């Protein structure tokens, strides 16, 4: 079955981006001129999702405002004949897509955030996207690639990529049996293992397509790594009865949950933008010349 619903856990505090994140949710920080959340939303819509569920908290109203209709702005742009800008503002979400906002009252972890979407998602496979992981690809987006596999193999699918062993403590780590260059059968998952005990260096990246059975399992998942209810632990339980595939997506991931990742993503997008490309290359050349002198 094709996924239709996408869950965006966006209730985190974003402390790495203080002081900006004191008033601007980190998901609204821009990569050039589009907020981070927009990239994940477009990936979900491209993959066929028409219901976007945001798990949010009382400090994140800006996210709902961003996806809402801006009557005054649209009227002004229309009156001024600024049609291109008007289209841009209207195209933030295609008309057939609806948004749902669910409050996570307590920050009990990613697993708990996903469980908050249960009443909206119901009994069908669904996607989870962590907007911090920005995945860029010239062709089909990562979630669309995963949705095709989930549908074909009637399985849950989690996105993975290789990370340096010294970074395993930042990720959910998978042990898996290879199927082909991109696909493996997951045998185990563990949240944030230390490098010495990590079963592999294959890390979970913030894209999941999950069977609705995950909700029952989340209900009984106890606090794990970091004292939080972990999605990874519920996936470990799901594995016992259900097929879960690890998919090495085609594309490049930027970890926009930290400052360096934000810079890398910004530079990458600037270099991919025909209007900015030359000026940015010139600026970098000049700056690097100073660096080596
Ligand atoms: C979460 C997940 C982790 C995953 C990571 C990907 O961790 O718990 O399994 O590898 O996202 O970005 P977080 O980054 O929220 O600590």
């Amino acid at each position: 079955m094709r996924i239709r619903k996408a869950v965006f856990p966006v209730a985190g505090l974003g402390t790495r981006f203080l002081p900006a994140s004191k008033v601007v949710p980190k998901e609204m920080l821009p990569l050039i001129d589009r907020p981070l959340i927009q990239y994940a939303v477009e990936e979900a819509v491209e993959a066929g999702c028409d219901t976007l569920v945001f798990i949010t908290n009382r400090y994140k109203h800006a996210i709902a405002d961003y996806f809402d209709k801006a009557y005054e702005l649209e009227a002004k742009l229309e009156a001024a004949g600024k049609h291109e800008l008007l289209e841009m503002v209207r195209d933030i979400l295609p008309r057939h897509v609806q948004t749902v906002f669910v409050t996570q009252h307590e920050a009990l972890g990613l697993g708990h955030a996903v469980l908050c979407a249960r009443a909206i998602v119901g009994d069908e496979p669904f996607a989870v996207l962590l907007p911090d992981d920005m995945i860029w690809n010239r062709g089909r987006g990562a979630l669309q690639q995963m949705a095709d596999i989930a549908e074909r193999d009637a399985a849950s699918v989690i996105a993975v990529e290789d990370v340096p062993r010294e970074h395993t403590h930042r990720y959910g780590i998978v042990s898996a049996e290879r199927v082909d260059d991109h696909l493996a059968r997951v045998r185990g998952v563990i949240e944030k293992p230390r490098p010495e005990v990590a079963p592999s260096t294959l890390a979970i990246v913030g894209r999941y397509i999950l069977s609705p059975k995950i909700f029952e399992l989340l209900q009984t998942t106890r606090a794990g790594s970091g004292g939080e209810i972990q999605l990874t632990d519920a996936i470990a339980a799901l594995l016992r009865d259900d097929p879960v595939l690890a998919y090495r997506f085609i594309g490049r991931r930027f970890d926009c949950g930290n400052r360096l990742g934000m810079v890398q993503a910004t530079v990458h997008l600037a270099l991919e933008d025909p209007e900015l490309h030359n000026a940015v290359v010139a600026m970098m050349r000049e700056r690097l010349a100073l660096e080596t002198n």
Side-chain angles (χ1 to χ4, degrees), residues 110 130 133 171-172 191-192 204-206 208 230 232 253:
L110 176 61
L130 310 185
D133 283 322
Y171 298 96
E191 182 67 6
K192 303 198 168 79
I204 301 177
V205 162
Y208 309 76
Q230 296 292 352
T232 302
R253 176 189 71 118

